[in-house]
Amino acid sequence: MIRIVPAIDIIGGKCVRLSQGDYSKRMNYSSAPLDLAKSIQDAGCTRLHLVDLDGAVSNHIINYKVLEQIATKTSLIIDFGGGIKSDEDVHIAFESGADMITGGSIAVKNPELFQSWILKYGSGKIILGADCNNGKIAIDGWTNESEHDVLTFIDSYHAKGIETVICTDIQCDGMLNGPSFDLYQRFLTKTNGIRLIASGGISTMDDIEKLNIIGAGIKQNGIENDNKSTMPEVIVGKALLDGHITYDQIVKYNTNVDK
């Protein structure tokens, strides 16, 4: 079964969610990041996707103290992204408690540097952030669109050693209208040997069950889905914060994940 990975997005040290990556469409939440992380852990989740949105539109990590606090006061396995644009940022992230880092813009703008991190830390520590808009990779906190086709871009980094990819369809993110099932179907059938973490648009547990079906390679509409890559995890953000998916549902779901 696909694992649920809750997400916490940070601006100014506080929990927020954006709609389609638009910083002007920001929802602030009263829960402190640490309190939310503890609730996530209590729901039986073992992983957390933590994003420094201030860092994503800056030249360096900003909210690493939030990372440090969550890492020292929970046992969650944290992948951290946003603002990782230099060797120093990578060092800060790992020293602050990140188990893995996610690089997106840097993989487009400075591929040599990003590849050096893969070689230095290993593919288990470095995740490729392949967030896209209209099939093109987006950068700079999703404020700009590159010329890179998302699947071609992912394949190019798989050849350089990347094993895990977080892929978000920006048009779906924060809208609670469901994820980009078609994009993930294409991803799984057109890429080889990559671990896909689906992200963006999850609105209900039904969406997760549909992703389970796609990820399992189950025949749909008479078409055999012969997956070449895998989809072991899905990131859930706004649906959890807004109560469309409850902690009780996650607890119940998580009891079946390892059966």
Side-chain angles (χ1 to χ4, degrees):
M1 292 178 66
I2 197 167
R3 290 180 179 274
I4 295 174
V5 179
I8 299 177
D9 292 353
I10 305 297
I11 291 180
K14 298 180 180 180
C15 297
V16 304
R17 290 302 295 177
L18 308 180
S19 294
Q20 297 178 323
D22 189 338
Y23 281 68
S24 69
K25 297 177 182 177
R26 179 173 113 192
M27 177 72 72
N28 298 314
Y29 293 89
S30 58
S31 298
L34 178 59
D35 291 339
L36 185 55
K38 287 181 176 179
S39 296
I40 288 167
Q41 179 172 270
D42 290 343
C45 294
T46 58
R47 291 257 287 104
L48 173 66
H49 179 59
L50 185 63
V51 182
D52 179 0
L53 289 177
D54 290 315
V57 292
S58 303
N59 293 319
H60 54 85
I61 288 176
I62 292 177
N63 288 291
Y64 60 91
K65 289 294 184 181
V66 175
L67 165 62
E68 185 176 56
Q69 187 179 42
I70 293 173
T72 56
K73 296 186 178 181
T74 75
S75 60
L76 292 166
I77 299 168
I78 304 170
D79 83 73
F80 180 82
I84 301 176
K85 298 172 182 175
S86 68
D87 289 333
E88 182 181 4
D89 288 324
V90 175
H91 177 75
I92 290 170
F94 284 134
E95 284 294 305
S96 299
D99 296 280
M100 295 160 278
I101 62 164
T102 300
S105 297
I106 190 68
V108 174
K109 293 184 169 182
N110 195 338
E112 293 82 9
L113 180 60
F114 187 69
Q115 188 174 6
S116 75
W117 298 342
I118 301 170
L119 294 172
K120 181 176 181 179
Y121 297 99
S123 57
K125 291 282 190 179
I126 308 297
I127 298 172
L128 176 65
D131 303 327
C132 63
N133 196 14
N134 300 314
K136 301 294 184 182
I137 292 292
I139 56 175
D140 302 327
W142 298 355
T143 58
N144 293 304
E145 188 176 299
S146 75
E147 294 300 316
H148 294 278
D149 172 79
V150 59
L151 295 184
T152 303
F153 181 73
I154 290 167
D155 271 337
S156 70
Y157 268 107
H158 182 49
K160 297 173 183 176
I162 280 292
E163 295 178 356
T164 304
V165 174
I166 296 176
C167 185
T168 307
D169 186 330
I170 295 168
Q171 292 300 311
C172 298
D173 192 68
M175 302 308 291
L176 297 175
N177 291 323
S180 184
F181 296 111
D182 289 343
L183 172 63
Y184 300 136
Q185 183 87 51
R186 288 192 294 113
F187 184 111
L188 291 173
T189 56
K190 293 183 180 295
T191 62
N192 286 284
I194 298 173
R195 296 177 68 258
L196 165 65
I197 302 175
S199 171
I202 298 295
S203 58
T204 65
M205 293 300 294
D206 285 344
D207 290 332
I208 294 174
E209 292 301 332
K210 289 178 183 177
L211 289 174
N212 257 322
I213 291 172
I214 293 172
I218 295 173
K219 189 173 183 178
Q220 299 181 83
N221 300 320
I223 300 173
E224 192 70 38
N225 176 19
D226 184 18
N227 292 357
K228 299 175 182 178
S229 293
T230 60
M231 184 166 53
E233 295 172 333
V234 56
I235 290 173
V236 177
K238 191 172 184 180
L240 181 59
L241 287 168
D242 287 358
H244 295 275
I245 292 176
T246 67
Y247 287 109
D248 285 343
Q249 286 177 309
I250 292 179
V251 169
K252 184 178 179 180
Y253 177 89
N254 280 333
T255 60
N256 295 316
V257 169
D258 293 319
K259 286 185 178 179

